[in-house]
Amino acid sequence: MKNNILVIGGTGKTGRKVVEKLKALDYPVRVVSRSASRPFDWNDQTTWANALEGIEKMYITYQPDLAVPGALDAIEALIKLAKRSGVKQAVLLSGKGEREAELCEQVVIHSGMDYTIVRASWFMQNFSESFFLDPIIAGHVALPKAEAKVPYVNTDDIADVVVAALTNEKHNGQLYELTGPRVLTFEEVTQEIAAAAGREIQFTPISMDAYINMLKQANIPDDYIWLINYLFTEVLDAEGNNVITGDIEKVLGRKPKDFSEYAEETAKSGVWNKVSAGIL
């Protein structure tokens, strides 16, 4: 019998792909988010019990990131309630190189439930679905830490690993570190995107202070500015964060997607060509 699976953040970057893949395998999936018909709001614990009712397994993504203040308390409260509700397994999306996220991992590991920790490097999709997109569309990317090398991972690969963990008990008790097959600097990323999109995109290294000022001028919310500052100053070039792992191949039996493959696929969608298409 196939288990009832809850996907928290089922409309997000990885969650929506996990939902698609589970449904394709005929698993009963409950998708919850703040706007779902059965809502789940991390800031409103009164929404949690209804979301967990009748659920046996769950995939947890915390918005905006496990590093933010309050995340640890929320994960502790959720795991406690999930156990009382009869949930047997939790798969947690975590962040590579984030000390705060590792504290959240420990809550899940020591919960007494079956668990899998999916600790991911920075997403390739940050350049097409997140805060790096607008500068690419504008044709001028200015970022700090220009020398940092990151093994960007594709959210398709993350979703495949999560689905494997939710549907095969051999992944119980495992911690997987997910990376792409090579490291790239921001300038190299910009060049690959420019080549795939067939347009010119400039890259300029700037200081962290200048970047924070740019975000403030763009009216980015303060809590996101805090998070971005944390990710750039504490996580991006943390020791070991540029290490490439073989965990995707270990779980899926195939190599992870390369950034060039992501760039070619994404360029075909036209998301990076809105300026030339006259949309902006």
Side-chain angles (χ1 to χ4, degrees):
M1 196 178 86
K2 293 186 172 177
N3 310 90
N4 291 328
I5 300 175
L6 174 70
V7 179
I8 298 173
T11 56
K13 286 194 198 74
T14 64
R16 71 173 189 272
K17 292 179 178 180
V18 169
V19 169
E20 285 168 15
K21 292 170 191 292
L22 286 171
K23 284 183 174 176
L25 294 169
D26 288 329
Y27 277 87
V29 184
R30 180 178 298 161
V31 182
V32 294
S33 63
R34 279 181 300 187
S35 57
S37 56
R38 193 188 286 239
F40 179 96
D41 187 341
W42 280 110
N43 298 314
D44 181 3
Q45 292 192 22
T46 64
T47 63
W48 297 3
N50 192 35
L52 288 163
E53 188 184 350
I55 291 296
E56 291 151 276
K57 301 183 175 192
M58 62 180 178
Y59 174 47
I60 307 168
T61 65
Y62 185 85
Q63 291 299 324
D65 193 278
L66 287 175
V68 303
L72 180 59
D73 290 342
I75 294 295
E76 285 176 338
L78 177 71
I79 292 297
K80 203 175 286 182
L81 181 59
K83 280 191 75 177
R84 283 208 307 269
S85 302
V87 179
K88 300 287 187 286
Q89 182 193 6
V91 177
L92 176 71
L93 179 66
S94 184
K96 197 167 182 281
E98 297 181 16
R99 289 192 307 276
E100 289 79 359
E102 289 175 19
L103 294 174
C104 296
E105 293 173 6
Q106 289 301 313
V107 173
V108 176
I109 288 168
H110 296 293
S111 66
M113 300 164 67
D114 288 334
Y115 73 87
T116 309
I117 306 297
V118 178
R119 188 188 285 169
S121 185
W122 281 28
F123 300 170
M124 294 177 186
Q125 277 75 5
N126 285 342
F127 296 95
S128 52
E129 300 175 25
S130 196
F131 51 87
F132 294 142
L133 175 58
D134 286 345
I136 290 168
I137 290 172
H140 188 189
V141 177
L143 290 169
K145 299 288 180 86
E147 70 293 338
K149 293 178 181 289
V150 180
Y152 293 99
V153 64
N154 198 293
T155 54
D156 288 333
D157 288 337
I158 297 170
D160 281 341
V161 169
V162 169
V163 169
L166 287 167
T167 58
N168 191 325
E169 63 184 21
K170 74 177 183 181
H171 301 293
N172 288 347
Q174 298 298 311
L175 189 158
Y176 296 123
E177 283 208 348
L178 307 188
T179 73
R182 62 190 170 113
V183 294
L184 293 156
T185 64
F186 287 128
E187 185 164 14
E188 288 166 339
V189 163
T190 305
Q191 288 168 351
E192 293 215 7
I193 290 172
R199 47 182 297 233
E200 204 167 302
I201 306 171
Q202 295 176 318
F203 176 80
T204 306
I206 58 171
S207 70
M208 196 66 219
D209 286 344
Y211 186 51
I212 295 298
N213 284 334
M214 272 175 50
L215 295 175
K216 285 177 178 172
Q217 286 167 12
N219 294 317
I220 302 295
D222 287 344
D223 54 345
Y224 271 85
I225 291 177
W226 180 92
L227 176 59
I228 291 164
N229 185 50
Y230 168 83
L231 292 172
F232 272 88
T233 55
E234 300 291 326
V235 177
L236 188 60
D237 52 4
E239 188 179 350
N241 231 23
N242 58 351
V243 173
I244 294 165
T245 73
D247 282 0
I248 287 174
E249 192 164 4
K250 185 163 88 175
V251 175
L252 302 177
R254 61 164 175 80
K255 293 192 181 302
K257 280 192 175 183
D258 187 76
F259 195 92
S260 59
E261 193 179 346
Y262 154 75
E264 285 165 21
E265 286 175 359
T266 306
K268 286 174 188 166
S269 75
V271 70
W272 290 325
N273 291 89
K274 289 184 179 177
V275 172
S276 58
I279 295 169
L280 290 181

